[in-house]
Amino acid sequence: MPEDAAPALTTAERDELRRQGILLTSISELYNWGRSNSVWPLNFGLACCAIEMIAASMARFDIARFGSEVFRPSPRQADLLIVSGTVTKKMAPQVVRLWNQMPEPKYCIAMGACAISGGPFKQGYNVLKGIDRFIPVDIYIPGCPPRPEALLHGLVELQKKIRGEKLSGPGAPRHLQPDNDCTYPVPEFGEHDLEPPRNPAVWQPPILTRPDKA
Amino acid sequence: METAEQIRDRLLARFPGAEITVVTNPGLSAQHSLLLGSPHARAIAQFLRDDPTLRLDQCSNVTGVDWPEKEIIDTVKVTVPDPAGGPPKVIEQKNKRLTPAYLEVVYHLYSIALRHGPVVIRTRTGNRSDQVDVPSLTPVWRSCEFQEREVFDLFGVSFSGHPDLRRILMWDGFKDYPMRKDYVDPDDYEWEPTPHDEVLARAKVHYPATPAAPEPKA
């Protein structure tokens, strides 16, 4: 059955069937259900946002309720990179390298103002203006730092995104597309800045016109 | 604790010929400091640490200050004789001069043993380009090591006698000194969400040409 065909049954009808002991599903739905409920984050913190990330994993906020309590110490075993804190230019190549070492399918959450844009340090000489200049970010969580509830909300939104993914066709995630090798160039340390300062394949400056300021 | 002037007088008696000046702080804190000439700085630091009435055994802070050239206008009254033979005129003459540029290193010293402080000492480089050597005080206070590396990294002050003078915050191949006042940061202002002032001016260079004003909605 083509995946994007209109479902023959509504959700309410399927729930009714489930109550009668009949389970109707598709491979992609079952597959996405499984992996969206066991997203293993990388055990990796950069700044004060990492403290909130740790708090989210402890008993009070309990990220285990959402299947993400297994913080892996190795990128080879992780599905999710939570960029939790300020990414300095000195640290940026290491973050991209960790991202490259994670196996697909993998997801990235930019947690907090610094990881999104550089935050309060945006004009500083040693702070990257957002990790999305080098790696693709799936979920942005604003805050300085975001509360653990916000991280949990970001995780739930990521699960929704995973459940909506298709396993074939043009809408498939990047690792299932044949012409995508899923490697991201690691920036080098230059004499004045990172070389290159951004990855144009991942991030382009938004084109905004500001008629009021022009 | 002794005042800065008392410490200076004692130091001058102990180190004849050393350059020691009191730099006064006109602010409310009145935290005056001692400017030390480079040749005697380490011996004086050793003395400040070991002197029984001071015993400044802790260096809590090392920082740098960049002093670029500054133009100062002195107004002088000059009497000019009148060529016509009348009474001489008094005119105000304005002389411009440039203060020399230098980098300064500031140390804040405390005594844990005697519970007093701070005593602030400073050293200065000859200029901001090729004479940037000052003596390292790491052999006197071990806690200076990382902080002097930071001053080296961000201001470009070279500490002679430092055991491990490398960049500490920026990477090794980095060429600039970011805390100097004439540092120009890399031009990565492709887009700024809330640009203003200088940021707006720099970001605007990268903005695409403004399209014609939109048609007013009917």
Side-chain angles (χ1 to χ4, degrees), chain A residues 89-90 122-126 129 133 189-194 197-198 203 205-211 213-214, chain B residues 154 168-171 173-176 178-179 183 185-186 188-193 195 199 204 207-208 210-211:
Chain A
K89 286 176 183 169
K90 202 171 176 181
K122 187 175 173 84
Q123 309 302 339
Y125 51 88
N126 195 22
K129 295 176 179 177
R133 292 188 177 219
F189 291 132
E191 292 188 352
H192 307 286
D193 199 1
L194 292 176
R198 60 190 166 92
W203 190 84
I207 295 177
L208 284 193
T209 51
R210 301 174 65 93
K213 301 269 173 125
Chain B
L154 303 182
I168 187 169
L169 296 175
M170 309 303 285
W171 51 90
F174 195 70
K175 295 280 186 227
D176 302 330
M179 292 294 274
Y183 170 69
D185 50 335
D188 53 356
Y189 289 75
E190 296 101 340
W191 173 74
E192 299 292 323
V199 176
K204 247 184 177 174
Y207 286 171
T210 315

